[in-house]
Amino acid sequence: MNIPELLQQLTLEEKAGLCSGGDFWHTKAVERLGIPAMMMSDGPHGLRKQDEQGDHMGVNDSIKAVCFPAGCATASSFDRELVERMGKALGNECQAENVGVLLGPAVNIKRSPLCGRNFEYYSEDPYVAGEMATYFIRGVQSQDVGTSIKHFYANNQEHRRMSSSSEMSERTAREIYLAAFERPIRKAKPWTVMCSYNPVNGVYASENKHLLNDILRNELGFDGVIVSDWGAVKHRAKSLKAGIDLAMPYSADYEKQLTDWYEKGLIGEDDLDRSVGKLRELAEKYRSAVSRRRVTMTEEQKHELAVRAAEESAVLLKNDDDILPVCRDKRIAVIGGFAENPEFQGGGSSRVNAKAAQTLCDCLKQLGFNADFALGYMIRYNILTPFGIRYAVETAAKNDCAVVCVGNTWLTEKEETDRFSLKLNPAAEDLILDVAQVNPNVIVVIYAGSAVDVSAFEGKVKAILYMGYCGEGANEAAADLISGRVSPCGKLAETFPKCLEDTATAERRGNGYTERYPEGGLVGYKYYEYNGIAPAYPFGYGLSYTTFRYGDMQVKKLGKTDYYISFSVQNVGRHAAAEIVQVYISDDASMVTRPKKELVAFGKKHLEVGETCTFGFKLTERDFAYFSPVLNKFYVENGTFTISVGASSADIRAELVVRVHGDAPKAVRVHRNTYF
Ligand code: GLC
């Protein structure tokens, strides 16, 4: 039966029911007309399927599943192929569990390093966030399982996330907060998009026709189902008219509002039929997927992938005297509760019921090391509390080096709350300082979901290895990196500022009803560079066990605004490793406020010692453009641009100046539109 015929057959109540969900996790079935119910489940880094009591905060049980590195970590891998493989593995799990749509990826921009859900999100940069999401979606959907890119849009804080309106200019929205969704929606075509809880410029996302219809449907060409975040719909009929096809979770009120408004003539047949048609298409995708069910990955293979992903995502922030990798003949003191039971994911709806990570001591011993363990602190009620400090210090004193494992628990980085500080728990800082007093060779391993302020101990330790929330393979990966079995290659997808006061949102805490974005598009590294604020560790930064030489940068003009750039990278050190390269553009004489540099491309290659490779990137008009509210489009000014190739945003290895022949309508030339 085609959709027009189906719409003829469905009663008003059935149509209202289809648009209002079936229960907490399922869409509604219409058995008599062959429409199946379909299950949706979280989340972005692992399957949180609840067969029993459903909830959207990760409180009730869910089935055992593999926990992969969270978005904060995988983005630091800058590895499209890896993220796609993770997506395939997750899609595989969903297939096996008869889940039709996986509620991820989460691509909200990390505007403030304090946001409680930053661990789920990819980056401060929309290009990185968009690329990671694109390949994640491709991976999951290659298994005939849908995705739900979320939360559309500007859900950049957890503080009053249900009511605080994100207030920004159109230019800021287009260049940053919408841009993170634009690329994956156009390139990967997610089956669904999940709207956010918050208002945007005063109108709830779930009732924002400009957002859902004008931009998402008409401009970005999204033709799937728009689903609400769980409980994000304030008024079902208004949200239907704005473009919400499916309100979750099920509520009888939703159905009643639709039938009441229909009978009053406040919503028309076309409003309902448009959404029912989309839901029927989704149900058909699910139905045909069921017929193609296959389970191809074993638990061991998925776990192994989780370990590899954690290794590729870890960022080496400091490595004085090349203390890492540690030689096998060195005796290691392994200190801290996280060495035994690491936090490897945040709290809330994304939290996976994963198996416990192996202990770091066991992993190091399996690699042939002598390792002594001391607790140093206990984790009670999710708070690190000092425990056995004296024994920990004694253990450190009698070993050649000390690996101190610290970080944030899921109660610190979780949904519905933001952090108030960038610092680690005082017990963790004190433990590091106590150990550093008796052993000069301290290696700090950090498990956290966002930027941390390491100033309390950075100068007292030799090395800092940032693991992120890197999934169940956390300590296997940490041991492989500490031992040199694998070289770290990850680079920060989020700037680590020196202190909270340096951030654009330090004074934030709107009145709970509006949160203005006065920094405009100057988010993350763009803000620090524009304002001349040196961070602790810049965007795109990460050390390796080897060194790379960049050279031979060339540029070829392909057209008025298109260029092809290439350059070589050689591994000139003594350890095989992957290198992540970044390409930035700068508008040398813009008529409007623009960031000093904007990331437009990145690549990654594994290089053996001595090996050389060539990277090549095509840059097109959009890479040079900014969004002009005057012209209401992305627009390229005439003039010269600098193309920079970097190992990080603060480590530019080569650059060239090119002339770009954009448009220059008179109207714009006198218009100096800043971001606000
Ligand atoms: C939550 C989250 C969303 C999640 C949904 C279902 O509140 O905001 O990311 O997918 O509800 O758990």
Side-chain angles (χ1 to χ4, degrees):
M1 184 188 309
N2 64 33
I3 289 182
E5 289 163 348
L6 176 78
L7 293 172
Q8 290 295 325
Q9 302 269 338
L10 285 165
T11 65
L12 170 62
E13 288 66 24
E14 286 169 333
K15 290 181 180 180
L18 285 169
C19 297
S20 304
D23 62 22
F24 201 88
W25 292 119
H26 292 83
T27 60
K28 193 153 204 170
V30 181
E31 303 293 352
R32 72 183 186 86
L33 293 174
I35 299 177
M38 177 194 74
M39 186 172 197
M40 294 181 276
S41 288
D42 293 311
H45 53 265
L47 179 57
R48 183 176 77 94
K49 179 190 175 188
Q50 294 182 313
D51 287 325
E52 315 299 334
Q53 178 63 29
D55 77 278
H56 69 124
M57 284 305 296
V59 174
N60 298 318
D61 283 345
S62 58
I63 64 167
K64 276 285 186 192
V66 172
C67 183
F68 290 96
C72 61
T74 50
S76 298
S77 76
F78 283 80
D79 193 326
R80 297 174 176 90
E81 185 271 335
L82 172 74
V83 170
E84 186 166 4
R85 282 169 57 206
M86 265 179 52
K88 282 181 180 167
L90 284 167
N92 217 249
E93 277 204 339
C94 290
Q95 273 273 7
E97 291 294 338
N98 195 17
V99 169
V101 168
L102 182 68
L103 301 175
V107 300
N108 293 102
I109 291 297
K110 302 188 185 190
R111 173 177 180 251
S112 163
L114 293 173
C115 174
R117 286 183 87 171
N118 273 354
F119 69 90
E120 270 187 85
Y121 303 151
Y122 289 121
S123 180
E124 65 193 31
D125 180 90
Y127 178 73
V128 173
E131 284 295 284
M132 293 294 112
T134 297
Y135 287 83
F136 180 92
I137 292 165
R138 284 181 177 167
V140 174
Q141 296 188 171
S142 70
Q143 305 302 300
D144 291 314
V145 171
T147 54
S148 193
I149 187 170
K150 65 188 186 181
H151 310 85
F152 191 76
Y153 74 100
N155 181 174
N156 305 109
Q157 64 188 56
E158 289 302 292
H159 177 62
R160 289 180 179 266
R161 66 172 176 166
M162 311 286 272
S163 61
S164 177
S165 175
S166 301
E167 308 274 323
M168 69 186 78
S169 67
E170 187 73 9
R171 182 181 174 203
T172 299
R174 298 292 186 148
E175 289 184 16
I176 305 292
Y177 298 96
L178 281 170
F181 288 88
E182 179 182 354
R183 189 183 293 269
I185 287 171
R186 290 187 194 279
K187 287 173 63 173
K189 303 192 181 311
W191 287 12
T192 77
V193 170
M194 182 189 293
C195 88
S196 59
Y197 287 118
N198 54 282
V200 178
N201 292 332
V203 180
Y204 278 106
S206 63
E207 297 177 7
N208 199 317
K209 193 174 175 66
H210 173 63
L211 195 53
L212 303 177
N213 192 57
D214 304 344
I215 295 178
L216 182 53
R217 289 242 184 257
N218 294 346
E219 275 193 48
L220 302 189
F222 175 66
D223 63 358
V225 166
I226 304 175
V227 60
S228 73
D229 197 340
W230 265 236
V233 166
K234 307 295 173 193
H235 189 289
R236 184 64 190 102
K238 288 180 186 172
S239 64
L240 180 86
K241 287 186 77 65
I244 297 288
D245 301 310
L246 176 61
M248 291 299 286
Y250 165 74
S251 159
D253 288 349
Y254 291 158
E255 289 176 319
K256 186 167 183 333
Q257 283 170 23
L258 291 178
T259 50
D260 284 356
W261 271 43
Y262 180 82
E263 277 144 12
K264 290 173 187 162
L266 296 171
I267 57 173
E269 191 97 55
D270 55 337
D271 292 317
L272 275 171
D273 288 355
R274 180 194 59 237
S275 292
V276 169
K278 294 296 179 191
L279 289 161
R280 164 64 181 314
E281 288 168 1
L282 179 63
E284 282 310 296
K285 285 178 182 175
Y286 167 64
R287 182 212 304 283
S288 65
V290 170
S291 63
R292 291 198 293 277
R293 178 154 302 142
R294 68 274 196 207
V295 176
T296 53
M297 289 184 78
T298 65
E299 293 313 300
E300 293 68 30
Q301 287 169 327
K302 287 181 281 191
H303 177 78
E304 192 50 33
L305 177 58
V307 175
R308 294 288 80 74
E311 287 169 355
E312 294 290 319
S313 305
V315 181
L316 183 57
L317 298 176
K318 181 177 185 180
N319 192 24
D320 288 357
D321 306 340
D322 290 339
I323 188 172
L324 285 172
V326 176
C327 303
R328 267 181 186 57
D329 61 354
K330 298 293 184 191
R331 294 166 306 138
I332 304 178
V334 177
I335 298 169
F338 276 177
E340 267 202 325
N341 182 23
E343 193 60 87
F344 50 72
Q345 57 180 326
S349 61
S350 66
R351 192 161 180 82
V352 179
N353 179 7
K355 64 183 179 189
Q358 290 190 40
T359 72
L360 182 55
C361 253
D362 287 351
C363 295
L364 286 169
K365 286 174 181 171
Q366 286 158 23
L367 292 173
F369 285 90
N370 285 317
D372 292 337
F373 175 69
L375 201 53
Y377 57 79
M378 289 186 74
I379 301 166
R380 299 177 67 183
Y381 312 114
N382 274 296
I383 304 293
L384 277 65
T385 44
F387 183 88
I389 298 287
R390 182 206 300 255
Y391 178 69
V393 170
E394 286 166 0
T395 305
K398 66 184 184 184
N399 280 277
D400 297 315
C401 63
V403 173
V404 186
C405 298
V406 294
N408 288 327
T409 69
W410 67 264
L411 201 62
T412 304
E413 299 201 56
K414 76 179 190 64
E415 196 167 330
E416 282 206 327
T417 56
D418 293 331
R419 287 189 293 166
F420 282 89
S421 166
L422 296 179
K423 286 185 171 295
L424 296 173
N425 181 297
E429 293 182 341
D430 293 344
L431 175 65
I432 294 168
L433 296 174
D434 291 345
V435 167
Q437 284 192 339
V438 298
N439 191 317
N441 300 316
V442 175
I443 298 153
V444 176
V445 178
I446 299 176
Y447 308 85
S450 193
V452 291
D453 172 352
V454 298
S455 55
F457 55 84
E458 194 273 339
K460 302 280 197 294
V461 301
K462 287 268 179 72
I464 301 175
L465 178 62
Y466 181 84
M467 299 299 292
Y469 277 159
C470 59
E472 64 183 52
N475 279 337
E476 291 155 274
D480 284 345
L481 294 162
I482 289 167
S483 68
R485 190 160 171 264
V486 176
S487 166
C489 65
K491 297 196 174 179
L492 293 178
E494 172 186 11
T495 304
F496 280 27
K498 281 182 179 159
C499 58
L500 184 58
E501 291 66 35
D502 282 354
T503 65
T505 55
E507 286 71 44
R508 168 168 92 63
R509 282 279 182 265
N511 58 13
Y513 298 98
T514 57
E515 176 69 24
R516 289 190 66 247
Y517 287 32
E519 76 282 355
L522 301 177
V523 178
Y525 67 91
K526 296 166 184 169
Y527 173 79
Y528 300 113
E529 285 190 351
Y530 190 84
N531 293 285
I533 300 169
Y537 302 103
F539 174 85
Y541 169 87
L543 299 177
S544 168
Y545 292 157
T546 191
T547 48
F548 297 97
R549 181 186 300 141
Y550 289 52
D552 190 22
M553 180 176 177
Q554 297 182 22
V555 67
K556 185 180 171 196
K557 190 173 181 59
L558 302 177
K560 282 177 59 179
T561 59
D562 291 7
Y563 282 87
Y564 183 80
I565 67 157
S566 63
F567 55 93
S568 66
V569 174
Q570 183 182 16
N571 180 344
V572 294
R574 290 173 293 129
H575 203 294
E579 173 65 338
I580 294 164
V581 299
Q582 300 141 52
V583 180
Y584 298 87
I585 63 103
S586 311
D587 186 337
D588 298 342
S590 171
M591 286 289 288
V592 297
T593 306
R594 289 193 73 166
K596 293 261 184 279
K597 280 204 300 294
E598 299 171 68
L599 183 75
V600 292
F602 63 80
K604 175 178 182 176
K605 280 208 176 84
H606 180 92
L607 296 174
E608 294 300 326
V609 172
E611 185 182 359
T612 299
C613 73
T614 300
F615 285 96
F617 300 97
K618 182 181 177 188
L619 303 183
T620 62
E621 182 172 1
R622 177 65 182 268
D623 294 317
F624 296 99
Y626 74 90
F627 183 82
S628 165
V630 175
L631 299 173
N632 194 36
K633 69 170 188 174
F634 279 91
Y635 160 75
V636 179
E637 287 181 304
N638 256 328
T640 59
F641 286 75
T642 300
I643 301 173
S644 306
V645 166
S648 85
S649 60
D651 180 3
I652 299 304
R653 303 291 183 88
E655 56 186 26
L656 283 172
V657 176
V658 296
R659 169 163 289 285
V660 175
H661 300 284
D663 308 321
K666 288 286 174 286
V668 176
R669 295 201 67 72
V670 297
H671 182 86
R672 189 167 175 72
N673 64 319
T674 60
Y675 282 107
F676 244 101

